[in-house]
Amino acid sequence: MTARSIRAEELDACCAPGNGKPFAEIARTFWKENSSSPDLCFAVEHDGRFVGRVFFHHNASAREFHAFGFHIDPSVDFSVAGMALFGIALPALASRGATKVGFAVYDIYDERAEQTETLYEALGFRPMQAKRRYVWKDSGSPVVVPARLVFRSLSSVGEDAFIDAFRRVTEATLDRDDQADIARYGLAAAGPGYMALLKDIEYLPEEWQLGFTTDGRLCGLVVPQLIALENEGTINYIGVVPEQRGSGYGFDFLLKGMALLQRRGIK
């Protein structure tokens, strides 16, 4: 097996295995935004064909990288191909000044999620979050949102209000990834950090929502977004401020996010 970075004209061929076509479009978007490039997209070849890939893009600081599009073809040894792939990718990222590299394992899409986790841990990565993912499928019945909160979009409240809300819902978090970032950068950095991260994924200010109690107090937020796979969305960020926790408002925000995705035709 041979591992290397790809050339721009090889992107479609590299993404052909494993229904990876959407990742080709994502990669091109990142290339246009200068947050990725062909030399940050790596592939494994065997007998003249692509049998594995992993792509990377960086955040605004250009020091923290995130992987996407990872795939190993079932025709080759998963561990051998994975080690070859990351054996060239990780030193390349280090040479670019990477201080942090993140990988997400989506167990609802990855039939070999356990193998993927084992591979990452063998490479020296440690898990930062433990999640159970739930999938909602549209039955055609409108999602009904409780009326006890008043929702306002980012386009109406402005980015500063949303950045402050990100900071407030992150206070006293139990999320280990968030805790690590707070310890490293401080709570004040949480708001701008999440704003930048989520804007890179999809930025529709009318869809990002703050929720307020009827007397005008901030309760929390929800950010529903389209994800890489066609016609699939996610509740990408959701939170309640500390003083409002324990009253079930998280359920209201979840329903609001689902209703907005449903309105967009997300199934």
Side-chain angles (χ1 to χ4, degrees):
M1 294 184 193
T2 303
R4 61 175 176 84
S5 58
I6 67 170
R7 299 185 298 273
E9 63 270 19
E10 296 176 310
L11 179 60
D12 288 326
C14 182
C15 289
N19 298 316
K21 183 179 178 180
F23 294 112
E25 298 307 313
I26 294 170
R28 288 191 176 94
T29 298
F30 285 141
W31 291 359
K32 291 178 182 178
E33 296 172 350
N34 294 318
S35 62
S36 184
S37 55
D39 63 326
L40 291 173
C41 298
F42 302 89
V44 174
E45 291 177 293
H46 181 62
D47 290 339
R49 62 189 180 91
F50 290 114
V51 294
R53 64 173 179 268
V54 65
F55 303 155
F56 296 89
H57 69 101
H58 59 74
N59 64 5
S61 72
R63 303 296 294 276
E64 297 187 3
F65 289 78
H66 303 274
F68 66 101
F70 173 60
H71 174 73
I72 299 294
D73 194 85
S75 66
V76 297
D77 185 282
F78 184 91
S79 179
V80 172
M83 284 293 184
L85 187 60
F86 288 102
I88 189 171
L90 296 179
L93 295 178
S95 70
R96 294 280 293 261
T99 58
K100 182 179 179 181
V101 181
F103 303 89
V105 180
Y106 296 99
D107 57 331
I108 60 174
Y109 304 123
D110 189 348
E111 295 180 353
R112 297 186 287 180
E114 291 186 5
Q115 284 182 281
T116 304
E117 291 175 359
T118 299
L119 172 65
Y120 290 164
E121 291 181 9
L123 290 163
F125 291 84
R126 63 187 182 95
M128 292 298 294
Q129 294 175 315
K131 293 183 177 180
R132 292 182 179 179
R133 297 185 176 270
Y134 294 85
V135 179
W136 169 84
K137 293 184 179 180
D138 191 1
S139 66
S141 299
V143 175
V144 178
V145 183
R148 61 177 178 164
L149 292 178
V150 177
F151 290 96
R152 297 174 185 163
S153 68
L154 185 151
S155 60
S156 66
V157 301
E159 285 197 6
D160 287 345
F162 230 93
I163 288 172
D164 185 62
F166 277 129
R167 176 189 61 80
R168 292 190 60 193
V169 301
T170 307
E171 291 180 32
T173 178
L174 299 181
D175 187 295
R176 284 180 291 173
D177 198 26
D178 287 345
Q179 289 174 345
D181 283 343
I182 291 170
R184 188 175 181 184
Y185 304 113
L187 182 60
Y194 287 120
M195 175 64 74
L197 179 64
L198 293 168
K199 285 178 73 173
D200 275 348
I201 297 168
E202 184 188 46
Y203 186 53
L204 296 176
E206 284 294 331
E207 303 295 302
W208 297 29
Q209 301 286 314
L210 296 185
F212 298 84
T213 59
T214 54
D215 58 0
R217 292 174 294 160
L218 176 67
C219 185
L221 60 85
V222 63
V223 180
Q225 293 182 309
L226 184 71
I227 56 176
L229 301 177
E230 185 178 356
N231 206 32
E232 293 191 18
T234 184
I235 306 298
N236 220 3
Y237 208 89
I238 185 170
V240 176
V241 298
E243 64 270 23
Q244 299 289 355
R245 292 171 189 166
S247 297
Y249 286 122
F251 187 63
D252 298 47
F253 285 107
L254 179 62
L255 289 171
K256 180 64 174 180
M258 292 167 61
L260 288 166
L261 289 171
Q262 185 183 49
R263 188 179 68 180
R264 294 174 61 187
I266 304 301
K267 300 299 183 182

